[in-house]
C-alpha cells in the first residue's frame, strides 16, 4: 500500500463532464506525472458534487480547498503552486457573487452550508466505481443489521417510524407500501426501482445513481427482505449512460462480495438486481406502465385496482420505489426511524433533494431538510436571481406540478403546505423563473410536453391535452378569444377527473396554477394582444422606444443579424427587413426599451 | 472473492477507512514540508519521499502530510513543521532523508522533540 498525502476529488458527474472534467483529469494526470507527484497525490473521480453551475469542480483534501470552473490551461500552474509548493491558487476559488469575497473552503460556501445531506451524504466524497470507498463510509452496515438482526416486520416498523414518504412525486408512505406487499401471499415477489426520471429539468435521481449507486442497491436489498422478494429491477432511462454504467459496476462489485446473490452476509436471504433500460418515455415512470414496459410490452398504464402490491410485475406482488426513496433506507435502518423522523415537519420527515435550475445563480443539486422555506432555497442556497432581474415564480413538480409566486415564497417545503398553494412537492424539479418568463408560454411549453408524452390510451388525455395545447398556442400567437379562459378551465377539470393515469390527471396543473396567479397575463395576451414579459414573438413589434432608450449600444453589439443601427449618444433603430426576431436585443436591453 | 460475512465487512470497512481518511478531517498529527523554490532546491522532495514512506510503514491514518510555501528562512531549508494536536508546532531545519526518518519515528510517533534539528517552537 502506498500512502498518498493528498486526494483530489474531481467531480465526474454528467454536468461537470459536460463542462470538461474529463479533459481536466487528463491534464492533471499529465502534470502530476511531469512533476513526479503521481505517487504522492491521487485523483479520485467522484459523482455529482451538486454545484453544477460552477463546474468542473475539484475538492482538495486534507486541505479542504474548493476549486471551481477549472480550465485545462489552469492545471500546470495549479499543480506546481498548490500540489508541489503548497500554495492554494486563489484565482480558482469560489467567489461569493454578492460580496465578491473569495471562499476557499467548501463548508463556508452558502450553497453548501445550508444543506443537510442524507441521500447525498457521499456525494463528491467517494469514487462511485469502487465499492470499498462506499464501505469505508459505513456502506452495507445497515444491510447487515437488517438481514441479521431484524425481522421483516421490524424493518417495516422502522421505516414506518421514520415517516419516509415516496420521493417519486406522490408522497405515499413507504413503510405502508412495504407492509401491503409483505402481506400479499406469494413466493415470488419483486422490488423495483423507478429511475425513469421523466420530469424535464430534473436530475436528482441521475445524480444519486452516478454519485452513490450502492446506496440504492442497499435500499433495494433491504426492501427485498422486508417484503419477501428475491429479485429486483432498476428501470433506468437509456439517456442516462453514465448512471447505467456505474450501476453495472456497482452490481458486479456487490455480487463479488456476496452482497448480492445467494445467502447474503450469511443471513440466508437471497436477492439479486438487474438494470432494465427504458426508452425514456415520461409515461413509463407511471407505475403500471413501467411494469408493462419491464415485461417487454408497450408502456401504457392500466387502471387500478389491482394495485402493484397485490398484482404488479408478471402479476406478482411488487413494490416500486423511487431512487431517492431507496437511498434513504440504509440510513434509516442504521440510525433508526426516530432519528429520521426528528428532521422535518409534522407530516413530512427527513430531507428532499431538489434540482435547482432556471433563473437562479447557483444552478445545481441541493438536499434540504423538510420545512425549509422556498425562499431560503432560492435566495440563500441558490444565491437569488442573476443579472439583477426580479423573481417571478418557481415551478415545482414540472409538468405535473404548479408554480408558486412571490407572495408564497415563505411556504415551507412540506407535502401539504406546497399542495395548499397550488403546486406539488413532485420529484424534485425546481425551475426558477424571472420577470422575463411569460407564464402563458410556460404553461404552453408544459402542455406541449404532456401532449407529446400522452400514450393515447384514454380519450380525455389524448384528445383533451391536444385541445388545451391548441388554445394555448392561439393565445400566445395573439389569436386568443375571451371565451378561451373558461374553456381551458373546463377542459382542465374534465381531464383531471377522467384520465386513466397520473399523467393526464396532473397534466392540466401548470395551466390551472398560472391561471390562478397570473390570470392578468393571459388577459393581456387576449384583450390587449400584448405579452407583458415580452416573450411571445408574434406579439412583439421589435421597435425601440427612443424615450426609454439609454443609447448604450448593447442591442447593436449583440444583434447577430446586424439589423440594428446605432451611434454613440443616439437611440438605436431596428431595421425590420433585416431583423430575424431572435429576441437577443429584448433580452439584453438594460432599459427595457424594446418591445 | 469469497463471500463476505458481517465480520469481514466490518474489517474491510476499517481498512478501507484508512485509505479514505484523508477526506474525513480526523487528524492528530500534521507534518508540513515547506516547498518553496528554495526548499525544493535544497532537497525538500527527498524529505517528502522519506516522510511518505514512513507514514506508510507506520500504518497510521490520522497523520496528514501537507506542503506549504517558503517560510522566509531559506538558509535553513529544507524546513519541516511537526504539529501534534494539543502541542505547539515545532519547526525543523536542514532536513534530509535520515533526519526526516528520525523526526518521524521519535517525534511524530513517540512525542520526543528532536532538539538537535529543531529551529524553534512556534509560540
Ligand atoms: C406520468 C407519470 C410519470 C412518473 N414518473 C416517475 C419517475 O420518473 N420517477 C419516479 O420515481 N416516479 C414517477 N412517477 C410516480 C410513480 O408512478 C410511482 O408513484 C413512484 O415511482 C413510487 O415510488 P415512491 O413511492 O418511492 O415515490 C410517475 C407517475 C406518473 C403518473
Amino acid at each position: 500500500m502506498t500512502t498518498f498525502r493528498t486526494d483530489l476529488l474531481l467531480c465526474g458527474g454528467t454536468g461537470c463532464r459536460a463542462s470538461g472534467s474529463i479533459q481536466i483529469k487528463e491534464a492533471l494526470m499529465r502534470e502530476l506525472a511531469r512533476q513526479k507527484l503521481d505517487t504522492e497525490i491521487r485523483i479520485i473521480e467522484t459523482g455529482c458534487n451538486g454545484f453544477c453551475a460552477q463546474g468542473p469542480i475539484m475538492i482538495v483534501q486534507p486541505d479542504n480547498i474548493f476549486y471551481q470552473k477549472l480550465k485545462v490551461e489552469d492545471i500546470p500552474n495549479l499543480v506546481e503552486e498548490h500540489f508541489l509548493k503548497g500554495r492554494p491558487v486563489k484565482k480558482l476559488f469560489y467567489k461569493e457573487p454578492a460580496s465578491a469575497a473569495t471562499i476557499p473552503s467548501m463548508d463556508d460556501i452558502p450553497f453548501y452550508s445550508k444543506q443537510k445531506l442524507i441521500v447525498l451524504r457521499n456525494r463528491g466524497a467517494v469514487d462511485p466505481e469502487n465499492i470499498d470507498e462506499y464501505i469505508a463510509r459505513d456502506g452495507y452496515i445497515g444491510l447487515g443489521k437488517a438481514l441479521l438482526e431484524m425481522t421483516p416486520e421490524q424493518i417495516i416498523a422502522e421505516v414506518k417510524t421514520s415517516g419516509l414518504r415516496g420521493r417519486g412525486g406522490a408522497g405515499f408512505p413507504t413503510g405502508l407500501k412495504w407492509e401491503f406487499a409483505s402481506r400479499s401471499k406469494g413466493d415470488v415477489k419483486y422490488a423495483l426501482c423507478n429511475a425513469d426520471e421523466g420530469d424535464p429539468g430534473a436530475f436528482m435521481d441521475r445524480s444519486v445513481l452516478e454519485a452513490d449507486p450502492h446506496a440504492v442497491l442497499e435500499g433495494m436489498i433491504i426492501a427485498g427482505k422486508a417484503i419477501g422478494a428475491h429479485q429486483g429491477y432498476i428501470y433506468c432511462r437509456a439517456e442516462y449512460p453514465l448512471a447505467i454504467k456505474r450501476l453495472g459496476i456497482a452490481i458486479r462489485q456487490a455480487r463479488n462480495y456476496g452482497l448480492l446473490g445467494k445467502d447474503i452476509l450469511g443471513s440466508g436471504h437471497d436477492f439479486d438486481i438487474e438494470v432494465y433500460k427504458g426508452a425514456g418515455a415520461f409515461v413509463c415512470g407511471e407505475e403500471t406502465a413501467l411494469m408493462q414496459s419491464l415485461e417487454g410490452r408497450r408502456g401504457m398504464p392500466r387502471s387500478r385496482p389491482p394495485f402493484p402490491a397485490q398484482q404488479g410485475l408478471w402479476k406478482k406482488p411488487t413494490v416500486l420505489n423511487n431512487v431517492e426513496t431507496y437511498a434513504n433506507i440504509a440510513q434509516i435502518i442504521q440510525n433508526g426511524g426516530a432519528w429520521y423522523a426528528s428532521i422535518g415537519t409534522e407530516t413530512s420527515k427527513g430531507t428532499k433533494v431538489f434540482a435547482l435550475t432556471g433563473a437562479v445563480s447557483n444552478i445545481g443539486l441541493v438536499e434540504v431538510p423538510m420545512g425549509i422555506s422556498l425562499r431560503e432555497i432560492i435566495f440563500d442556497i441558490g444565491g437569488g436571481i442573476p443579472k439583477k432581474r426580479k423573481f417571478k415564480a418557481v415551478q415545482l413538480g414540472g409538468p405535473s406540478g404548479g408554480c408558486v409566486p412571490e407572495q408564497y415564497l415563505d411556504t415551507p417545503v412540506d407535502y401539504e403546505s406546497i399542495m395548499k398553494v397550488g403546486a406539488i412537492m413532485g420529484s424534485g424539479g425546481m425551475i426558477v423563473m424571472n420577470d422575463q418568463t411569460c407564464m402563458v408560454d410556460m404553461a404552453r411549453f408544459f402542455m406541449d410536453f404532456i401532449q407529446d408524452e400522452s400514450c393515447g390510451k384514454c380519450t380525455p388525455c389524448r384528445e383533451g391535452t391536444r385541445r388545451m395545447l391548441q388554445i394555448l398556442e392561439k393565445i400566445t400567437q395573439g389569436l386568443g378569444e375571451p371565451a378561451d379562459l373558461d374553456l381551458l378551465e373546463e377542459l382542465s377539470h374534465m381531464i383531471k377527473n377522467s384520465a386513466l393515469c397520473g399523467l393526464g390527471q396532473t397534466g392540466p396543473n401548470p395551466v390551472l396554477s398560472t391561471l390562478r396567479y397570473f390570470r392578468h397575463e393571459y388577459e393581456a395576451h387576449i384583450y390587449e394582444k400584448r405579452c407583458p414579459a415580452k416573450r411571445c414573438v408574434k406579439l412583439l413589434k421589435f421597435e425601440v422606444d427612443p424615450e426609454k432608450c439609454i443609447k448604450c449600444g448593447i442591442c447593436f453589439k449583440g444583434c447577430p443579424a446586424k439589423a440594428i443601427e446605432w451611434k454613440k449618444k443616439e437611440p438605436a433603430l431596428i431595421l425590420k427587413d433585416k431583423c430575424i426576431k431572435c429576441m437577443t436585443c429584448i433580452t439584453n436591453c438594460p432599459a427595457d426599451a424594446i418591445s | 472473492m469469497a463471500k463476505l460475512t458481517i465480520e469481514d465487512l466490518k474489517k474491510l470497512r476499517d481498512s478501507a477507512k484508512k485509505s479514505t481518511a484523508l477526506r474525513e478531517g480526523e487528524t492528530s498529527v500534521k507534518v508540513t514540508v515547506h516547498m518553496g523554490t528554495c526548499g525544493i532546491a535544497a532537497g525538500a522532495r527527498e524529505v517528502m519521499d522519506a516522510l511518505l514512506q514512513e507514514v506508510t510503514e507506520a500504518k497510521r491514518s490520522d497523520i496528514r502530510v501537507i506542503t506549504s510555501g517558503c517560510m522566509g528562512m531559506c538558509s535553513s531549508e529544507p524546513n519541516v513543521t511537526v504539529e501534534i494536536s494539543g502541542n505547539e508546532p515545532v519547526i525543523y531545519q536542514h532536513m534530509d532523508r535520515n533526519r526526516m526518518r528520525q523526526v518521524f519515528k521519535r517525534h511524530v510517533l513517540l512525542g520526543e522533540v528532536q532538539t538537535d534539528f529543531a529551529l524553534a517552537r512556534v509560540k
Side-chain angles (χ1 to χ4, degrees):
Chain A
M1 192 179 117
T2 45
T3 302
F4 293 95
R5 62 177 168 89
T6 302
D7 278 354
L8 307 179
L9 300 161
L10 178 66
C11 180
T14 295
C16 279
R17 283 187 165 206
S19 55
S21 72
I22 295 177
Q23 288 84 335
I24 298 294
K25 185 176 177 183
E26 286 163 359
L28 277 169
M29 281 164 43
R30 250 192 334 265
E31 249 349 90
L32 289 176
R34 199 174 67 83
Q35 299 272 16
K36 300 203 174 52
L37 288 168
D38 45 352
T39 51
E40 299 176 13
I41 295 177
R42 170 169 69 165
I43 306 170
I44 310 279
E45 192 179 337
T46 71
C48 179
N49 166 296
F51 208 170
C52 311
Q54 305 304 117
I57 286 171
M58 182 166 77
I59 296 160
V60 181
Q61 293 291 18
D63 316 33
N64 198 22
I65 300 277
F66 177 92
Y67 287 122
Q68 54 149 25
K69 294 192 174 165
L70 293 174
K71 290 195 208 61
V72 171
E73 309 88 87
D74 297 329
I75 302 303
N77 182 48
L78 177 66
V79 169
E80 169 151 356
E81 283 299 305
H82 186 172
F83 307 144
L84 179 61
K85 297 184 176 169
R87 293 186 290 231
V89 179
K90 261 209 170 119
K91 186 180 87 153
L92 302 171
F93 288 176
Y94 174 71
K95 268 180 223 58
E96 152 92 290
S99 61
T102 51
I103 307 182
S105 149
M106 173 164 163
D107 312 327
D108 299 331
I109 297 172
F111 176 78
Y112 293 103
S113 58
K114 285 220 165 178
Q115 297 193 44
K116 171 149 190 70
L117 305 185
I118 295 176
V119 170
L120 303 178
R121 71 186 184 102
N122 287 333
R123 73 147 174 225
V126 301
D127 176 354
E129 300 186 8
N130 181 351
I131 189 172
D132 289 357
E133 298 217 340
Y134 179 69
I135 291 173
R137 291 178 64 105
D138 293 329
Y140 291 109
I141 295 292
L143 175 69
K145 186 170 167 192
L147 292 187
L148 299 166
E149 298 168 28
M150 297 171 84
T151 62
E153 293 73 30
Q154 285 171 325
I155 297 174
I156 290 171
E158 205 64 64
V159 176
K160 277 172 131 180
T161 307
S162 75
L164 175 65
R165 297 169 64 171
R167 300 293 190 239
F172 191 82
T174 306
L176 203 57
K177 188 188 272 194
W178 290 13
E179 190 168 59
F180 290 147
S182 77
R183 289 195 179 151
S184 287
K185 297 261 174 307
D187 45 359
V188 178
K189 298 183 185 179
Y190 296 104
L192 311 183
C193 173
N194 193 340
D196 189 55
E197 194 159 66
D199 172 0
F203 50 92
M204 303 76 54
D205 296 344
R206 191 198 75 214
S207 304
V208 171
L209 292 172
E210 286 175 3
D212 207 10
H214 288 284
V216 179
L217 304 187
E218 191 178 355
M220 289 180 73
I221 309 169
I222 295 172
K225 159 107 182 193
I227 66 164
H230 303 293
Q231 179 65 46
Y233 294 100
I234 301 174
Y235 187 94
C236 185
R237 55 175 48 225
E239 287 100 321
Y240 285 178
L242 187 60
I244 290 170
K245 176 185 155 211
R246 290 193 176 150
L247 271 174
I249 294 172
I251 289 172
R252 265 201 309 284
Q253 294 183 342
R255 280 190 193 140
N256 256 339
Y257 278 167
L259 295 166
L260 280 174
K262 300 262 178 242
D263 190 21
I264 298 169
L265 292 172
S267 66
H269 183 67
D270 307 340
F271 195 79
D272 208 350
I273 297 177
E274 271 178 53
V275 178
Y276 184 92
K277 281 190 255 179
F282 183 53
V283 76
C284 286
E286 194 279 336
E287 56 181 15
T288 58
L290 183 146
M291 292 172 203
Q292 297 262 330
S293 173
L294 255 176
E295 290 171 9
R297 282 181 279 164
R298 177 169 169 187
M300 281 199 181
R302 62 162 174 80
S303 60
R304 294 166 301 181
F307 287 95
Q310 280 93 43
Q311 282 187 32
L313 185 65
W314 308 113
K315 296 212 163 43
K316 303 293 183 193
T318 301
V319 150
L320 171 71
N321 279 121
N322 167 261
V323 169
E324 188 185 334
T325 312
Y326 278 126
N328 277 296
I329 296 294
Q331 294 295 300
I332 290 173
I333 296 298
Q334 210 183 321
N335 303 319
W339 159 78
Y340 195 82
S342 71
I343 306 161
T345 67
E346 195 52 44
T347 59
S348 310
K349 303 300 187 187
T351 59
K352 179 79 197 86
V353 181
F354 287 101
L356 188 58
T357 179
V360 60
S361 295
N362 301 339
I363 286 174
L365 196 70
V366 307
E367 180 171 3
V368 290
M370 293 283 189
I372 191 174
S373 73
L374 292 170
R375 190 185 299 280
E376 283 171 275
I377 299 179
I378 297 167
F379 287 88
D380 298 346
I381 297 174
I385 317 301
K387 300 191 190 138
K388 301 201 176 112
R389 286 274 158 196
K390 266 180 53 198
F391 172 86
K392 187 176 210 170
V394 57
Q395 178 78 11
L396 298 177
S400 313
C403 63
V404 180
E406 171 99 54
Q407 65 262 38
Y408 293 117
L409 266 185
D410 292 310
T411 305
V413 167
D414 153 308
Y415 289 92
E416 281 65 32
S417 307
I418 291 185
M419 195 93 84
K420 247 184 242 152
V421 296
I424 60 168
M425 174 82 79
S427 60
M430 189 177 275
I431 304 173
V432 181
M433 293 169 281
N434 67 16
D435 52 353
Q436 286 184 315
T437 310
C438 169
M439 299 313 274
V440 186
D441 189 54
M442 193 274 287
R444 183 204 55 77
F445 169 84
F446 280 122
M447 191 50 70
D448 190 27
F449 176 83
I450 286 290
Q451 193 275 132
D452 208 36
E453 295 287 338
S454 171
C455 77
K457 183 167 176 179
C458 75
T459 317
C461 180
R462 183 184 67 237
E463 301 299 329
T465 59
R466 177 164 299 241
R467 282 294 295 133
M468 286 185 73
L469 177 62
Q470 283 168 349
I471 297 169
L472 291 165
E473 281 174 343
K474 239 174 70 181
I475 297 174
T476 55
Q477 288 166 3
L479 304 170
E481 298 160 70
D484 284 343
L485 297 187
D486 287 344
L487 190 55
L488 274 179
E489 272 175 346
E490 192 188 332
L491 278 166
S492 294
H493 293 299
M494 207 179 311
I495 298 168
K496 275 176 83 75
N497 292 330
S498 55
L500 174 61
C501 83
L503 191 147
Q505 287 158 12
T506 59
N509 285 348
V511 172
L512 288 174
S513 84
T514 47
L515 274 172
R516 173 169 166 187
Y517 294 120
F518 297 96
R519 200 177 182 93
H520 52 279
E521 289 200 19
Y522 282 87
E523 288 167 350
H525 283 75
I526 294 174
Y527 295 105
E528 303 166 37
K529 307 295 173 205
R530 183 173 68 85
C531 174
K534 300 188 184 177
R535 286 292 104 185
C536 295
V537 179
K538 288 260 167 75
L539 299 180
L540 294 172
K541 297 197 279 287
F542 293 92
E543 285 170 2
V544 180
D545 180 344
E547 308 268 284
K548 279 192 181 171
C549 178
I550 56 168
K551 308 175 176 107
C552 64
I554 287 178
C555 57
F556 165 78
K557 286 170 202 146
C559 179
K562 299 211 177 348
I564 299 181
E565 285 182 347
W566 168 81
K567 280 200 205 78
K568 268 194 189 140
K569 297 186 186 155
E570 275 179 36
L573 178 73
I574 300 177
L575 305 173
K576 296 221 170 165
D577 53 335
K578 284 194 183 166
C579 173
I580 55 169
K581 302 190 176 181
C582 67
M583 314 261 254
T584 308
C585 55
I586 293 182
T587 308
N588 292 344
C589 177
D592 205 15
I594 308 174
S595 50
Chain B
M1 174 80 210
K3 215 180 273 178
L4 297 185
T5 64
I6 187 74
E7 289 75 33
D8 299 335
L9 180 69
K10 286 181 177 160
K11 256 187 244 150
L12 183 61
R13 172 189 61 184
D14 297 341
S15 76
K17 262 193 175 64
K18 293 205 179 93
S19 161
T20 57
L22 276 184
R23 305 167 214 166
E24 307 291 345
E26 291 153 27
T27 313
S28 44
V29 187
K30 211 164 88 180
V31 185
T32 308
V33 182
H34 298 273
M35 286 269 196
T37 309
C38 45
I40 293 171
R45 302 262 339 230
E46 281 111 73
V47 172
M48 170 64 79
D49 202 42
L51 174 60
L52 286 174
Q53 277 172 16
E54 286 298 322
V55 177
T56 309
E57 282 164 26
K59 297 198 170 51
R60 285 260 303 262
S61 58
D62 56 340
I63 299 171
R64 298 286 166 275
V65 175
I66 51 185
T67 58
S68 84
C70 168
M71 297 198 306
M73 298 184 292
C74 311
S75 60
S76 69
E77 293 281 3
N79 292 315
V80 169
T81 306
V82 174
E83 203 175 342
I84 299 180
S85 52
N87 295 303
E88 284 158 6
V90 177
I91 300 172
Y92 290 100
Q93 57 177 340
H94 297 303
M95 295 297 279
D96 59 22
R97 281 177 182 273
N98 288 335
R99 287 181 168 198
M100 187 66 243
R101 289 207 178 90
Q102 180 178 335
V103 165
F104 187 85
K105 288 208 163 80
R106 313 219 48 137
H107 184 183
V108 173
L109 297 182
L110 302 173
E112 302 161 7
V113 176
Q114 300 300 294
T115 38
D116 295 357
F117 326 136
L119 175 75
R121 278 182 196 248
V122 181
K123 292 280 176 215

